[in-house]
Amino acid sequence: MYNYYVYMLSCPMKKNILASVIVWAWLILATPSIWLSQSWKKIQDNKKEIAADLSSVQTKKSINYQDSLLDIRIDSLSLNELRYCLTQGINKIRTKQWLAPVKLLDDVNGVAQNYSLYLSENKMDDTITWEDHFDKEGNSVLERVKWAWVSIDTECRWDCKKTWENLASSHMTVQQMIDLWMKSTSHRWNILWKSFDGVWVWHAKWSKNVVLVFVNLVK
């Protein structure tokens, strides 16, 4: 249709006045809308590119930020910083072994939180040893997790038979703690056991310990 109007426009004006008027009117009306449409498309494309670049920068900043936290002393970090960077550090190791990452869980039942407080209040965390996995009554993390079943959260169910914990002193960096665990057969086994897919992490304020509880979530 456009070619037809152009052809009509090339004819003598006295024979095609009406056609010429129509063609010129179409060109005058259509040109701004075409230009606006193209400009709008360019604006939208630029917005997408800017958003993609910003997302990439934010992701890199987040990764670099988490990596930087690994080299900071545990007792200098906030609880959330510790929870997230420790989980990310463990998941990096699991990923290298082709294992699924563990999910950081909210300690709604207080399994890790209560034991971190217990170790601190009973002054059992001056030097963390194997015996510290058991309270004064001889109960291990298995018993503590079973007791927590009394108040089960619907989004956080776990298998009581598949759970264990890693303990460490907070007087070191997160990376040093992870390296220390990886040199211990039992702690390394916990980090790399494929059945574990959830973790609770806690460091009670003013305590000298970190409690990390691995669980197998019930699907």
Side-chain angles (χ1 to χ4, degrees):
M1 184 63 71
Y2 174 76
N3 291 335
Y4 170 75
Y5 284 135
V6 173
Y7 169 76
M8 294 294 289
L9 185 62
S10 65
C11 296
M13 292 296 291
K14 62 182 180 179
K15 294 182 180 179
N16 299 290
I17 294 176
L18 180 59
S20 299
V21 169
I22 292 173
V23 172
W24 280 110
W26 181 85
L27 290 173
I28 291 171
L29 294 173
T31 300
S33 62
I34 293 173
W35 180 83
L36 287 173
S37 176
Q38 293 175 342
S39 298
W40 177 254
K41 186 176 184 302
K42 288 181 180 179
I43 291 172
Q44 293 301 103
D45 290 342
N46 288 337
K47 282 185 176 180
K48 289 179 181 179
E49 290 179 6
I50 292 171
D53 291 342
L54 181 60
S55 176
S56 176
V57 169
Q58 289 175 337
T59 300
K60 290 178 180 178
K61 282 186 176 179
S62 177
I63 293 173
N64 291 336
Y65 174 68
Q66 290 173 351
D67 287 344
S68 67
L69 293 179
L70 292 172
D71 295 322
I72 297 177
R73 280 175 59 97
I74 295 166
D75 42 20
S76 298
L77 297 172
S78 70
L79 178 59
N80 281 334
E81 287 175 332
L82 170 63
R83 293 173 71 239
Y84 282 102
C85 78
L86 177 55
T87 305
Q88 291 299 318
I90 288 174
N91 282 334
K92 280 186 177 182
I93 296 173
R94 289 177 64 89
T95 300
K96 291 179 181 179
Q97 300 296 323
W98 302 96
L99 296 171
V102 292
K103 180 181 179 181
L104 177 61
L105 306 173
D106 289 327
D107 192 14
V108 291
N109 295 285
V111 177
Q113 178 182 1
N114 291 340
Y115 199 60
S116 180
L117 288 169
Y118 175 86
L119 291 174
S120 179
E121 291 172 354
N122 287 275
K123 302 187 183 302
M124 297 170 61
D125 56 357
D126 289 332
T127 304
I128 298 295
T129 64
W130 170 257
E131 286 75 17
D132 293 324
H133 286 288
F134 304 89
D135 62 24
K136 292 181 178 180
E137 286 72 39
N139 298 307
S140 71
V141 66
L142 291 172
E143 284 74 31
R144 295 192 292 275
V145 167
K146 287 178 182 178
W147 296 333
W149 265 93
V150 176
S151 55
I152 303 173
D153 186 271
T154 55
E155 295 181 357
C156 181
R157 296 178 179 271
W158 59 88
D159 185 349
C160 289
K161 296 179 181 178
K162 296 178 181 177
T163 181
W164 200 244
E165 68 186 354
N166 283 6
L167 303 177
S169 169
S170 61
H171 298 312
M172 64 181 80
T173 68
V174 179
Q175 188 60 59
Q176 288 172 338
M177 179 173 62
I178 294 175
D179 293 342
L180 193 64
W181 282 341
M182 290 301 290
K183 293 176 182 178
S184 164
T185 302
S186 59
H187 294 89
R188 176 187 175 89
W189 186 86
N190 291 339
I191 292 173
L192 297 179
W193 197 36
K194 63 180 181 180
S195 293
F196 288 146
D197 48 12
V199 290
W200 292 311
V201 178
W202 206 268
H203 168 57
K205 193 173 183 179
W206 310 120
S207 72
K208 302 176 184 177
N209 67 78
V210 174
V211 177
L212 173 65
V213 178
F214 292 90
V215 293
N216 176 229
L217 299 178
V218 176
K219 303 296 188 291

